[in-house]
Amino acid sequence: METDDIIARISQKLKAQGIEPRPEKIASKINRLVTEFGVPPSEAERTILQDTFKEHGIEQPKPSAPSSDAVGIGTLVPGEWVTVEGKVVSVTEPPSPAVAQTGVIADDTGAVRFVIFAKNAPALLRVGEWFRLESAVVDEFRGLANLKIHAGTTVTPINDDRPLTPEITRIADLRPGIASVTAKIVQDWEVRHDRMLQTGLLGDESGTMKFVIWKGGSDRKLEPDTAYTFAYVPVEEYNGRLSLTIDPASCTPVDSEIAVSAGPAGSEEPMPLFEGKIISVRHVGSETVRESGIIATPDGAYAFTIWGDAQIPALEQGNWYAIEGATKGMFRGAPRISINQDAVLSPVEDRFLPPPPATPVADLAPGIATVRVKLAQEWESRSERMLQAGLVGDETGVIKFVIWDGEGVEQIQENIVYTFFYAAVEEYNGRLSLDLTHATPLPDEDADIEVSRGGKSISGALVHIASGSGIVKRCPVEGCNRVLSRQNFCPVHEFQPGFQYDLRIRGTLDDGQTAHNLLIQREAVEKLFSMTLAEAQDIAENQPLGADEVARQLGDRALGRYLTVTGREFEGLFIAFDAKWLFFDPARHTALINRAGGDLA
Amino acid sequence: MTERFQNYVREPAKRVFAAEMRDARHSFRVGDDEKSPTYLLLPTGERCNRVFIVGSLTQKERVGEQNSMYRARVADPSGTFFITAGSYQPEAMQQVARIEPPAFVAVVGKPNAYETPDGKVLISIRAETVTPVDRDIRDLWVLDAADATLDRIDAFGDSQDAETARAEYNPNLASYKKMVYDALTAIRQ
């Protein structure tokens, strides 16, 4: 549908320049840019239009000629120059000194936020009055249409107060932007922010939504259980949830009874009836969370949360239950089962649960896992509540662990291999750690494992490749190994025609915080590029550009790519004996989506 | 040829989405000698002297006297970066010359703020290197930029950069979080 709109707009603009549009060709270009190259639709539209104008030798016209006919505010599309006539229904304190005024302007088709920048600002608008704005620009600010009134905008007051009735939107139909609602205040929450005057929940027949009143306005509060009409209020999105920012001065009590329906659920998936064994359960007892713990099900073990509104008896550790009406969602990057008021639970007979297989440390992912590890390093505890912290490891690698103090919790001992059943694998800032506090340890005093200590690994983008990368010649004198010049000259041993070749990459691996000087050694370079030293030597000796050609080929394939390198840091130079390309990780993608908004606030 | 590395600390390349870069306008210099680095202050409260971005090169054109410079547009899921590569960046200029849009590219460069005649501040990136990459790298970069942006939002506190960002931009951090969310959900559909 969006594609059709873009085609229509492009066609119209081409026609205005006397070019006959070809919708199929435009559609295929949109598809290529948007689908294949992930270009935002607005940028694709602009690109296609400009490229087509260029093909026809037309000088780039202004975004669109300022039209003198006023358009409906509800129809504004970012990227256009427009003339509108509307009533200023509110003005707000400018968010920064660069802004002279912000507010909301409305006509009978809708409402939009406007902004006037301090630099070269035309006259400010007065609330409650009508204005004609010629040559204003619709742009996008934080994902919403925003009307920009700039030095070139002609602002003319309209001296008659036209009737304007806000159109009421049902709460379930609200989208980020400006809207008017009629709703009843159903909950008054405790205020936890200095600048906040009141917050709570309001609702209508279609659902409920959070509202906020900031201090600095009329300091009037809304009465619980009272219905109001809120005209032209901002609907904002935070963490994937909408809320209304209300100015009590612009709301009017209404005399109608509203039957408020309960709010919509989150992004949890309902689960079919399942059976599981309670591995551990802890009483939390807060207003929202009653208990939490770990449950083993036939398809794996999960963390679970019993919410405050759940209507089920207390769970017994070690018992089996059949659970119906639970939901599954993601919490902090790991799957989690939620048991709330809709869940029904019945005890079922105890039965054999095969011990879960151990996961190699290198393969751990956020969630619940069983590991077979040995203490590799013990760290000084940094908090009273922390019983023990450090590294545990197996043949595949090491991982940070923590054990929190608590009843019956013990430290782990050196030189003993433990199997920890149902440990919590947590992720923080992209790094995994194990919480062994509630895991069940099983020491195996006869066993031993070789913990892989490896080198240090760092990941980042290769943002620079230095000269001296690729194939180089080294001085063959015992213990020298210096890189020779093009003329085979060693700074110490002079001309050395009997040189040896080597392959390496010198450059900068940048993780966004630190730019590491990096040297990737031959074995790692060969593996990374599937190019042996012999093949590189063949290119260097037989192609016109010689060694430069090797450097160019490696550079083209490595620059701007992500790598994980393993090795040791030595006087500010990271020497890598292993290097791997980094690939897209769907689990990291999911975890980030949760972190950016799928999670609880 | 020696194997010594320069003893200055290279500025890391920050990961920034186009929509955040577009909101930036405050830049400052640390120290007053000619080589002192200039930083652009990001609205999420961190200075940046260099950026690493991956997106789709949608257009390029030669501009300037004797066509001495390339100007290009690179789109990420949140918006568009403006890239320049002039004769002082011969490597980047040759690389841009070889790439036909549309194409995924990785760009390392230095952000510059400049003011247009009508008082708008535009940010352009003077490229050091521009390399063609594939969609997988672009998607990986979106994760990387998302991670870095969320880290900045989470760390937004009492640091000097955060204080300045608060005064200069009064940023709506929730909207940047939304931008990250939108970028993440725009890839791999």
Side-chain angles (χ1 to χ4, degrees), chain A residues 32-40 43 46-48 50-51 54 60 94-98 117 119-120 140-143 148 150-151 176 236-240 429-430 460-468 474 481-485 489 491 504 506-508 510-515 517-519 552 555-556 559-562 572-573 582-586 588-589 592-598, chain B residues 1-6 8 10-15 22-23 25 46 50 52 54-56 58-61 73-80 91 95 98 101-104 106 108 115 117-121 128-148 150-152 154 167-178 180-181 183-185 187-188:
Chain A
R32 181 159 155 78
L33 285 167
V34 175
T35 312
E36 208 177 319
F37 285 94
V39 174
E43 176 71 14
R46 191 197 157 279
T47 304
I48 295 167
Q50 289 208 346
D51 287 353
K54 212 185 264 176
Q60 291 177 10
S96 104
F117 285 99
K119 202 168 260 181
N120 307 324
E140 213 179 291
F141 184 62
R142 292 170 184 161
K148 209 157 77 182
H150 53 97
E236 284 165 354
E237 189 169 347
Y238 180 67
N239 272 347
N429 274 348
L462 196 65
V463 294
H464 173 65
I465 293 184
S467 60
R474 291 193 182 278
N481 214 29
R482 282 182 178 79
V483 173
L484 304 179
S485 76
F489 186 79
R504 62 175 193 174
R506 271 182 40 174
T508 307
D510 188 319
D511 61 13
Q513 293 303 319
T514 309
N517 283 321
L518 174 70
L519 174 69
R552 193 192 63 79
D556 279 356
L559 199 57
R561 268 64 158 201
Y562 286 90
L573 176 65
L582 213 60
F583 292 101
F584 185 87
D585 174 6
R588 186 180 171 213
H589 187 205
L592 280 165
I593 288 178
N594 284 320
R595 196 177 156 206
Chain B
M1 194 180 304
T2 71
E3 299 224 10
R4 294 269 157 72
F5 283 85
Q6 309 93 317
Y8 77 98
R10 182 184 159 104
E11 288 284 345
K14 304 281 164 130
R15 282 45 157 174
R22 184 190 56 192
D23 292 346
R25 54 179 180 269
E46 222 177 78
R50 180 178 272 122
F52 174 61
V54 181
S56 303
T58 55
Q59 283 184 328
K60 62 169 184 177
E61 57 174 341
R73 296 169 70 93
V74 173
D76 78 2
S78 76
T80 308
E91 187 181 358
Q95 287 163 332
R98 279 203 295 263
F104 289 113
V108 180
E115 206 167 307
D118 62 345
K120 257 171 77 180
V121 174
E128 296 171 327
T129 59
V130 180
T131 31
V133 295
D134 60 20
R135 188 173 190 135
D136 206 58
I137 303 294
R138 198 286 304 254
D139 291 354
L140 202 44
W141 177 82
V142 170
L143 300 192
D144 196 21
D147 222 344
L150 292 174
D151 283 351
R152 290 197 296 271
D154 288 351
E168 289 288 337
Y169 305 119
N170 187 24
N172 180 345
L173 295 176
S175 76
Y176 289 119
K177 208 164 177 180
K178 168 84 168 41
V180 171
Y181 181 85
L184 287 167
T185 48
I187 60 170
R188 302 269 160 159

Side-chain angles (χ1 to χ4, degrees), chain A residues 212-232:
Chain A
V212 175
I213 301 174
W214 297 101
K215 283 183 185 165
S218 62
D219 281 350
R220 213 176 86 198
K221 285 193 182 184
L222 301 176
E223 295 292 325
D225 270 328
T226 308
Y228 297 87
T229 291
F230 306 96
Y232 305 115

